[in-house]
Structure formats: C-alpha cells, structure tokens
Amino acid sequence: MKCWLKYLLVCVLATYVCATGSSASAQQMSLYPQNEKHKVSTEMGIGVTGTYSGIMGATTENVALRPKMGIGAKLDFAVILAKHFAIGTEVAYGGGSIDVANSRLERRVRTNSIDIPIFLSLRLADQKVHISLGPQFSVMSKAEYTNNGEKMLFGPIYPTYNVATEVGVRLGKYFIIKARYVHPLQTTLNQYEGEEFSLRAYRISLGVGLIF
C-alpha cells in the first residue's frame, strides 16, 4: 500500500474515533435541535494548514526531487442546503519548498499556489463530521529557485485540474480539524538547468479552522 494511502487511512480512522467519542456530547449540545426544521443557511471560516506534496511520477532520471512540508491559510464559505448536505468552496494560499538536484547543482525551489476547490459535503453526527469530495482548481502555481543571485523559473508544481477528498471533525461550535488528499488530473511541465520534464504531484494536508 502506498504511503499516502496509509496516511489518508490513518486520518479517516482518527476522524471516526473523534466522532464516536464526541457522539454523547453531541446529543447534549446539538448544533441543530431535532425539533427544529432546518433552513438553508451559510457559514464562513478561516483556517491554517500544513501540507506535504509528494511526487507521483517524473519523466526524468537526472533530477532528484525531495519535497518539504509547507504551510498555508484559507478562507471558507459554505451553503448548508439540508441537515446532511452542503456545498462549499474556499480560497487557499499555500507556500512550500522542494529540494531539487542534478549532477551539477542542488537548490531549494520555493513554491506558491492559490487553490479554489468546490466541495459537495455530507454532514453526519449532527453536523460534527464532514465528508467532502469535489474538483480543486489551482488558479496559480509557480516555483522558483536562485542561482548565482538570479531567480530561475522551475515551473508549476500543481496542475490546474485536480480532485480532492476531505474529512473534517468539528470540535465544539466554532472549531474544526480537517484532513485532505488532492490528486492531480494532469501533469505539469517543468525545467531545471536546461532539462525539461513532466511532474505529477499529489498533496496531503492537515489543518485547523475557525467557523463563524
């Protein structure tokens, strides 16, 4: 089993344990009382994330790629259509780095991205557990490194079109933790010291948010 799949499975199991452990308190402190008819509503939130980018494949044998952990911030918005369903989106910024090397040169490539996912969310356990799936669009992805004081373009790390799945658990009324996996649907064209090659990079992130 691939390492990212093991990581995602651990996140899902941890989410389930958290959800079952809080089920008793959820009955006492319901976000939506059972005798209250649900109405369409909205929610907003802000959050921070830690993200690891893994390389699924590269069309080069001469360039070594070693991704590092990155951090990011996001603004969330969701429309709650029914007690168990919602549609949500966000604007997320992420920054990170990848150590890149060939036989002549090793440099740290700095990455930046802006992503906009569109999620259909299933909400269970009185809105405590969120299971989401949908497309994620990388509207900006760039990576650069410095060589002899000059900035060099490495190319985008993430393609425009991706698919993402996410599991979240609310902690009380205002806080939520989320684990997300983003799978690329395209390759990116990159270059390092005169050699061009293609990449496929996935992402695994863990974050905490404030809902208001």
Side-chain angles (χ1 to χ4, degrees), residues 2 23-24 26 43 59 81 130 139 146 153 163 167-169 174 197 201:
K2 294 182 179 180
S23 59
E43 67 181 21
T59 59
L81 302 174
H130 300 181
V139 296
T146 302
L153 183 65
V163 62
V167 178
V169 175
Y174 297 107
F197 51 92

Side-chain angles (χ1 to χ4, degrees), residues 16-90:
Y16 176 78
V17 171
C18 291
T20 54
S22 62
S23 59
S25 60
Q27 294 177 359
Q28 299 176 358
M29 188 182 66
S30 174
L31 295 175
Y32 298 95
Q34 298 295 324
N35 59 354
E36 180 179 318
K37 184 177 179 180
H38 180 77
K39 298 179 181 179
V40 175
S41 59
T42 60
E43 67 181 21
M44 295 185 66
I46 55 176
V48 294
T49 59
T51 301
Y52 173 78
S53 299
I55 305 300
M56 300 181 67
T59 59
T60 177
E61 297 181 354
N62 302 318
V63 179
L65 304 154
R66 294 185 295 273
K68 303 294 183 181
M69 288 293 296
I71 58 173
K74 61 182 181 176
L75 174 66
D76 303 287
F77 178 80
V79 177
I80 304 172
L81 302 174
K83 183 178 180 180
H84 298 296
F85 295 98
I87 294 177
T89 186
E90 69 183 31

